[in-house]
Amino acid sequence: MRVFGDAWGVSTETLIGAAELRAFLHGLPGVDQVGAEERAARLASRSIKTSAKAEAIDLAISMVDLTTLEGADTAGKVRALCAKAVHPDPSDPSVPKVAAVCVYPDMVETAVAALAGSGVGVASVATAFPSGRAPLEAKLADTRAAVAAGASEIDMVIDRGAFLSGDVVKVFEETVAVKQACGDAHLKVILETGELATLDNVRRASWLAMRAGADFIKTSTGKISPAATLPVTLVMLEAVRDYRAATGRQVGVKPAGGIRTTKDAIKYLVLVNETAGPDWLSPAWFRLGASSVLNDLLMQRRKLSTGVYSGPDYFTLD
Amino acid sequence: MSDRLAVRKTYKLYIAGAFPRSESGRSYPVTDGKGRFVANAAHASRKDARDAVTAARKAFPGWAGRTGYNRAQILYRIAEMLEGRRDQFTAEVRHTGASKAQAAAEVDAAIDRWVWYAGWADKITAVAGAANPVAGPYFNFSTPEPTGVVAVIAPDSPLLGLVSVVAPAIVTGNTTVVVASEPAPLTAITLAEVLATSDLPAGVVNILTGHRTELTPWLASHMDVNAIDLTGVPDGDVPALEDKAAENLKRVFRASDDWAGDPGTARMTAFLEVKTVWHPVGV
Amino acid sequence: MTVFEYAPAPESRSVVDIRGSYGLFIDGEFTDGHGEPFKTINPADESVLADIACADEADVDRAVKAARAAYERVWGAMPGAERGKYLYRIARIIQERSRELAVLESIDNGKPIRESRDVDVPLVAAWFFYYAGWADKLGHAGFGPHPQPVGVAGQVIPWNFPLLMLAWKIAPALACGNTVVLKPAETTPLTALLFADICRQADLPPGVVNIITGAGDTGRALVAHPGIDKVAFTGSTDVGRQIARTLAGTSKKLTLELGGKAANIVYADAALDQAVEGIVNGIFFNQGHVCCAGSRLLVQESVAEEVLERLKARMATLRVGDPLDKNTDIGAINSAAQLDKIRELSASGEQEGADRWSPPCRLPDRGFWFAPTLFTGVAQSHRIAREEIFGPVLSVLTFRTPEEAVTKANNTPYGLSAGIWTEKGSQILWTAQHLRAGVVWANTFNKFDPASPFGGYKESGYGREGGRHGLEAYLNV
């Protein structure tokens, strides 16, 4: 399929590519919504206890992309978040560090400095997050700035308007261009599934992003409701599983937004385990985009180790 | 009174849309109410019954697959043909011992009953089907479908009874093998002549005349017959026939042979299977 | 790579109190049986759970007389609204005691607690709740303005869904004004006996529900009893045939819900992930002890390889083991006899040349277990493609055209259920129309609801259970 090239000009070749790309995406197996929801609910009823729960909590902590994406963010707030990312529970050094801290591009420098040598990555949203409504050049500049500031991961948003109106080539070409702008940084492509209307579209957008070079596909910006859901993540996990089977390349998955409790987090791990498989059960291939879930994970972790229920006053609010 | 010698009719069987003699070459005399000879009727054998079942099975998918509207029109067409032969049927019913008035009344009632059933073809599904409100995101509906090949052991009521057992079986899409009344078989064969000229596909109704006790056990035990209507069977013969019918779990229907009054839907629903289809509701 | 092993998450047994022995529930009291008592065991570890009384002919007679007396004196004449209130009470008590019922069902039957908790028991309550509402509306059900009950119903149920089949039988019978004598299967009597206690808590008049335990002889005595007006049976086609013979020439009404060999048809354009889920649910739900199980997979040849690949991967995630573990997907086979039958038919599959496959799976040492099993290269003529295995064994066949799929699907004396998987609406409706089966699941499988009629074509039996149609069996129409 040929869809690279000049995103501003319309060549004959691009038109053919568009038809081919659309045909490919619409040729993917359908998703039956009720069946997918039933499967997700069934997996969510798995009962994870004792030793399995302890392992799951630590794994979940290590997969967290600790996130702050507010207009009111300050350097101080970002530094506090970074401290928490490295030592989520200062009183217990056995708690693993999180995978990454996720901030706006202008906070990347602060985060990189705060996390130097810690092994915690710095992810930055870019490409006119969260709407994606900006000229490509602006998106690319946004991306380059974040990478130049030291971001190791870029979370881009797709142009949902283009995707939904059928201009899949535009989404494809923008993703390819952003991927190029990322250089060595990993690219996470946010599909904003809450705006995609159907699970069929989630599967198509997943394949579109993967074919354009995404290292990760991510559900949501967190600014739109619904954010991550189990059925949506199920479909995306199926997509990365099928994509690897077809191409040999493994792509990661990141549900983001709406994951608040340990119970939620463990449901996602079960989903990964039984859908994409154990190969995805590591921070390299699965992330949880969240912030408040971390304290609940810590609280449940302490309950398991002490045998008594803990309370929110014993964990830091950052 | 003309001195012209009448051309008599040979009463044969009706199988697969044709009028064969019994493969056995046998016949039996039919007499009127006073014991006088009327005609020889074919004396069907078990092989004729077997052939009739084969014909009915072959006709089943096509007939069941017709639209209700189409079946209704074909059945109504049969009523039109019956009306055209009122006098012939009246004369034949009189052979069974009825007065002229009684015979005419029976023929009229039979035609009217046929019209009544004809109208059910595109309505029974609405009455016997359902949209079921299940507790989940599913569309769930039930539709009645014809059972398949139905063996009908007709009662001795020569036309009204015959019509009252055949019409409800076929109007919903079943195909039939009918064992005509043993003492009064002639109206059944004349009915067959109507059926043969009424756009009813060959094999939908097959009519055997002969000895009931000889034919019915073969039909009751036939593994390719899905249901049996024992209306014309004497009570004493029922247990043995039901025992045979159990082998392939035939649907067995027994009911009174009172033909007056509203027949209701029981004779139709007896030979209907309810099929329930589920489908998720989602985007 | 991390190995995410789920630690055992067993449901507590302490909610259930199993007595050492159980009598027959006749006329509102537990009484002694006069046949040889038998033991019911836990199929997951072969431990004895309780001694169960066996009803002989005299006991059956006692139960039928109690039912007759209750019918004539109390239940038959009671206003429908009052009967309905009793049924609503029963539905509520089932909900209140749902945990207890689910655990007991899993212990006695071997089915996973997830299924007894999430499927069986909720449906049992729903069934009583649904038919409770019909009790005072029977004149509007399409069976005439004043439909009358039949009288005393003799009901014989199987071991695969012990409590659910009880509900399918008792709820409509009672709603229509009949009284019942019910015989649960000899390997799974405990929840029916607990149901007797629920009847007492609901203050149901004595004799309206009688539960008699025993094996085949007890069942035969019940259906042959001249005091019975209606027989309802769920079980094997062979026994159904025997019952139809026993009733030949009598005026007893009969409904039969018998065996099946359902085809699950997967077209090339299906939503494959959901189809695979449906295939798994179709054959491995309840260990495949399901009359309507999708035991024949008919897959369109152009996607056969892909479907099988996905199916095998999915089967490898199935968890077989302790029925009381909340993470168990496949529990114990109900009895040694059933396990023998499954083994024998599976062996015949190999002998006849089909390829057998099971995922690696460790089975417990004690108890009755059978790994989820797939046969490919199956021909229509193989026994595993024709006979009901009633176990977690799937036979896979392929087809090229829709006509071929339907022809193969219908090429069986059974006609209970079928499945269709395609994203094309017109193809669903065409296929559903041509399948000779009483229940057709399109893009789903093994769904049940009290509002939805269920029952078979051909040798899968006659009569419908569920919905308005389910009333007909218990009314004099």
Side-chain angles (χ1 to χ4, degrees):
Chain A
M1 187 180 310
R2 195 230 79 95
V3 263
F4 286 90
D6 179 9
W8 304 99
V10 178
S11 71
T12 315
E13 265 184 286
T14 306
L15 287 173
I16 293 167
E20 282 176 359
L21 186 56
R22 252 200 309 276
F24 169 79
L25 295 176
H26 286 267
L28 291 167
V31 185
D32 186 84
Q33 184 201 356
V34 173
E37 286 175 353
E38 185 181 278
R39 173 66 178 149
R42 170 80 56 88
L43 286 172
S45 75
R46 286 277 191 234
S47 190
I48 305 301
K49 300 287 183 208
T50 63
S51 57
K53 188 167 181 182
E55 277 174 43
I57 287 174
D58 279 2
L59 185 59
I61 291 171
S62 74
M63 290 172 162
V64 167
D65 275 5
L66 204 55
T67 303
T68 184
L69 295 170
E70 301 299 331
D73 282 348
T74 61
K77 185 178 176 188
V78 170
R79 274 193 288 271
L81 204 67
C82 291
K84 175 123 180 174
V86 181
H87 299 293
D89 183 350
S91 67
D92 184 351
S94 70
V95 176
K97 59 182 186 288
V98 305
V101 166
C102 183
V103 294
Y104 271 115
D106 63 332
M107 289 292 163
V108 169
E109 216 172 321
T110 308
V112 168
L115 292 169
S118 68
V120 175
V122 175
S124 177
V125 295
T127 70
F129 182 92
S131 69
R133 302 238 72 89
L136 178 59
E137 275 313 310
K139 294 180 183 179
L140 294 176
D142 204 14
T143 305
R144 288 189 196 105
V147 173
S152 52
E153 305 171 7
I154 296 296
D155 291 19
M156 74 167 280
V157 289
I158 64 164
D159 181 341
R160 283 85 73 188
F163 177 85
L164 290 168
S165 65
D167 194 355
V168 289
V169 167
K170 181 176 185 211
V171 177
F172 185 92
E173 293 186 341
E174 285 197 358
T175 308
V176 168
V178 172
K179 171 72 181 167
Q180 282 169 346
C182 281
D184 291 336
H186 273 209
L187 175 63
K188 304 199 198 95
V189 177
I190 302 172
L191 311 179
E192 196 65 302
T193 54
E195 290 183 343
L196 294 186
T198 66
L199 293 175
D200 285 315
N201 277 342
V202 170
R203 173 167 289 177
R204 291 179 192 127
S206 298
W207 275 84
L208 180 61
M210 292 187 290
R211 296 196 63 150
D215 299 300
F216 256 78
I217 49 176
K218 176 176 169 183
T219 59
S220 323
T221 59
K223 305 294 182 191
I224 290 287
S225 184
T229 66
L230 290 170
V232 157
T233 310
L234 172 76
V235 170
M236 290 167 66
L237 287 164
E238 288 166 355
V240 295
R241 175 201 65 195
D242 294 349
Y243 183 76
R244 187 179 72 169
T247 67
R249 187 167 81 87
Q250 187 164 342
V251 174
V253 176
K254 176 179 171 183
I259 305 162
R260 295 195 178 83
T261 66
T262 301
K263 209 171 185 173
D264 291 341
I266 291 177
K267 285 176 187 173
Y268 279 98
L269 296 185
V270 169
L271 209 61
V272 175
N273 194 38
E274 300 203 26
T275 307
D279 286 0
W280 269 264
L281 272 181
S282 93
W285 302 110
F286 194 75
R287 297 283 178 85
L288 296 163
S291 44
S292 63
V293 74
L294 183 56
N295 271 5
D296 195 63
L297 286 163
L298 296 171
M299 213 153 66
Q300 297 305 322
R301 193 179 191 276
R302 196 170 294 175
K303 153 73 176 62
L304 282 181
S305 60
T306 64
V308 297
Y309 290 106
S310 191
D313 288 354
Y314 299 91
F315 301 93
T316 57
L317 292 170
D318 301 278
Chain B
M1 189 83 176
S2 159
D3 55 3
R4 177 177 172 272
L5 189 64
V7 178
R8 282 185 181 171
K9 180 159 91 185
T10 307
Y11 288 89
K12 297 193 284 189
L13 306 176
Y14 181 54
I15 298 173
F19 291 90
R21 290 193 172 84
S22 169
E23 63 79 34
S24 66
R26 300 176 301 179
S27 65
Y28 72 104
V30 177
T31 55
D32 69 10
K34 295 186 174 130
R36 289 175 303 215
F37 174 81
V38 178
N40 287 311
H43 178 166
S45 69
R46 66 180 166 85
K47 289 185 181 173
D48 295 316
R50 175 202 62 193
D51 293 346
V53 171
T54 303
R57 174 59 62 195
K58 192 173 167 213
F60 176 65
W63 182 237
R66 299 287 183 106
T67 64
Y69 181 45
N70 184 246
R71 282 200 302 271
Q73 290 195 91
I74 291 173
L75 261 71
Y76 185 75
R77 171 82 177 153
I78 291 167
E80 290 175 343
M81 301 289 104
L82 288 169
E83 184 84 12
R85 295 207 195 200
R86 270 178 91 231
D87 294 345
Q88 181 186 0
F89 278 112
T90 303
E92 282 182 347
V93 172
R94 284 194 70 192
H95 287 319
T96 65
S99 71
K100 187 169 183 186
Q102 284 168 337
E106 167 153 4
V107 171
D108 288 350
I111 296 169
D112 290 352
R113 177 134 310 162
W114 195 280
V115 171
W116 188 79
Y117 274 118
W120 271 111
D122 51 4
K123 296 165 192 73
I124 189 70
T125 303
V127 171
N132 309 303
V134 296
Y138 298 94
F139 181 56
N140 181 284
F141 62 99
S142 296
T143 46
E145 292 191 344
T147 296
V149 174
V150 182
V152 176
I153 317 305
D156 286 336
S157 164
L159 191 63
L160 180 57
L162 177 68
V163 158
S164 297
V165 294
V166 173
I170 64 169
V171 69
T172 58
N174 293 294
T175 57
T176 55
V177 176
V178 181
V179 177
S181 161
E182 188 170 332
L186 303 185
T187 42
I189 296 305
T190 304
L191 175 66
E193 292 165 6
V194 168
L195 301 178
T197 54
S198 308
D199 296 334
L200 188 75
V204 173
V205 176
N206 302 277
I207 298 180
L208 305 173
T209 56
H211 292 183
R212 216 154 25 198
T213 51
E214 183 186 338
L215 294 170
T216 47
W218 290 105
L219 291 170
S221 65
H222 198 304
M223 296 296 278
D224 203 28
V225 171
N226 300 105
I228 187 163
D229 178 347
L230 297 180
T231 301
V233 170
D235 288 347
D237 293 348
V238 166
L241 293 172
E242 288 195 341
D243 184 75
K244 286 184 191 301
E247 185 58 29
N248 69 336
L249 296 159
K250 281 183 191 66
R251 286 78 176 118
V252 179
F253 186 74
R254 278 190 274 153
S256 89
D257 53 359
D258 172 14
W259 308 115
D262 181 349
T265 57
R267 286 188 170 273
M268 288 181 286
T269 56
F271 305 118
L272 289 172
E273 307 289 322
V274 173
K275 176 186 281 177
T276 298
V277 179
W278 293 68
H279 196 280
V281 176
V283 293
Chain C
M1 184 177 112
T2 313
V3 178
F4 190 12
E5 277 296 347
Y6 310 147
E11 179 65 81
S12 169
R13 279 184 67 150
S14 63
V15 292
V16 194
D17 179 23
I18 302 177
R19 303 209 303 261
S21 66
Y22 288 86
L24 312 170
F25 184 69
I26 296 176
D27 209 14
E29 300 291 337
F30 278 102
T31 69
D32 290 339
H34 298 86
E36 187 63 33
F38 58 99
K39 296 180 190 316
T40 185
I41 64 167
N42 179 342
D45 63 11
E46 301 175 57
S47 62
V48 173
L49 295 169
D51 287 318
I52 306 295
C54 174
D56 68 3
E57 282 193 30
D59 296 323
V60 170
D61 187 55
R62 226 160 24 99
V64 172
K65 286 199 168 105
R68 174 64 58 191
Y71 173 67
E72 285 172 356
R73 291 187 205 139
V74 190
W75 198 252
M78 187 183 287
E82 298 300 300
R83 289 199 310 267
K85 284 193 277 184
Y86 278 109
L87 292 176
Y88 280 126
R89 269 191 194 178
I90 290 171
R92 285 306 200 207
I93 297 173
I94 288 165
Q95 289 174 326
E96 288 158 9
R97 300 179 69 174
S98 61
R99 176 69 57 107
E100 187 185 353
L101 287 164
V103 172
L104 186 60
E105 193 77 310
S106 282
I107 292 174
D108 202 16
N109 168 279
K111 67 174 62 198
I113 186 72
R114 179 172 60 74
E115 288 175 7
S116 49
R117 178 195 67 199
D118 296 347
V119 181
D120 294 49
V121 175
L123 278 174
V124 170
W127 231 272
F128 278 98
F129 199 89
Y130 175 83
Y131 278 105
W134 268 122
D136 56 357
K137 301 166 191 68
L138 297 172
H140 303 278
F143 303 108
H146 303 292
Q148 294 303 304
V150 179
V152 176
Q155 307 176 317
V156 179
I157 59 171
W159 46 261
N160 58 341
F161 293 93
L163 192 62
L164 184 56
M165 290 302 105
L166 173 150
W168 283 30
K169 297 284 179 285
I170 292 183
L174 263 50
C176 293
N178 306 276
T179 57
V180 305
V181 179
L182 176 132
K183 187 193 90 65
E186 63 269 31
T187 62
T188 55
L190 292 182
T191 45
L193 294 164
L194 179 54
F195 180 79
D197 188 50
I198 289 172
C199 292
R200 291 211 289 204
Q201 284 189 339
D203 285 333
L204 191 72
V208 173
V209 168
N210 304 274
I211 310 277
I212 56 168
T213 42
D217 285 342
T218 307
R220 272 187 285 277
L222 177 59
V223 302
H225 195 288
I228 294 285
D229 302 300
K230 191 247 157 13
V231 172
F233 171 76
T234 296
S236 73
T237 291
D238 279 340
V239 175
R241 238 190 289 277
Q242 287 171 27
I243 292 174
R245 289 217 170 87
T246 303
L247 267 54
T250 71
S251 58
K252 292 174 189 170
K253 281 185 80 147
L254 176 61
T255 43
L256 298 170
E257 203 271 87
L258 308 175
K261 191 73 191 177
N264 203 358
I265 300 171
V266 178
Y267 287 108
D269 71 338
L272 287 186
D273 288 304
Q274 285 72 53
V276 166
E277 226 30 65
I279 294 164
V280 167
N281 183 39
I283 186 61
F284 301 123
F285 174 63
N286 204 39
Q287 295 72 248
H289 301 329
V290 185
C291 47
C292 50
S295 53
R296 284 186 296 152
L297 174 63
L298 293 177
V299 56
Q300 200 153 23
E301 60 186 5
S302 57
V303 287
E305 206 176 310
E306 190 178 353
V307 167
L308 280 174
E309 224 167 79
R310 287 173 191 241
L311 178 59
K312 286 179 175 177
R314 175 66 178 89
M315 282 172 69
T317 68
L318 289 169
R319 305 171 65 84
V320 185
D322 180 9
L324 288 185
D325 188 330
K326 287 177 248 181
N327 290 325
T328 291
D329 298 314
I330 299 185
I333 300 303
N334 180 250
S335 66
Q338 186 57 29
L339 182 58
D340 286 346
K341 187 185 160 196
I342 298 167
R343 283 180 174 155
E344 190 271 320
L345 271 161
S346 299
S348 88
E350 284 180 285
Q351 281 155 17
E352 291 184 308
D355 297 316
R356 178 174 181 164
W357 182 87
S358 289
C361 123
R362 268 193 51 209
L363 301 177
D365 300 328
R366 289 178 61 79
F368 313 128
W369 304 95
F370 199 87
T373 298
L374 187 72
F375 277 99
T376 50
V378 179
Q380 282 283 92
S381 59
H382 290 166
R383 283 180 66 204
I384 52 170
R386 303 200 64 76
E387 295 181 29
E388 186 175 39
I389 300 173
F390 224 63
V393 181
L394 178 66
S395 300
V396 183
L397 299 94
T398 59
F399 68 91
R400 185 164 294 173
T401 64
E403 285 80 6
E404 186 186 348
V406 163
T407 303
K408 281 183 167 170
N410 289 338
N411 181 215
T412 163
Y414 295 116
L416 187 52
S417 63
I420 306 168
W421 298 86
T422 167
E423 290 288 278
K424 191 174 174 189
S426 52
Q427 187 160 256
I428 292 171
L429 295 175
W430 181 89
T431 309
Q433 216 167 51
H434 285 81
L435 287 169
R436 301 288 291 161
V439 184
V440 177
W441 287 291
N443 291 326
T444 186
F445 209 95
N446 271 343
K447 292 285 181 294
F448 309 94
D449 193 282
S452 175
F454 182 96
Y457 284 35
K458 301 196 279 185
E459 291 194 21
S460 290
Y462 36 73
R464 291 293 176 268
E465 297 183 282
R468 180 188 73 81
H469 293 83
L471 297 168
E472 186 175 350
Y474 294 98
L475 292 172
N476 243 329
V477 294

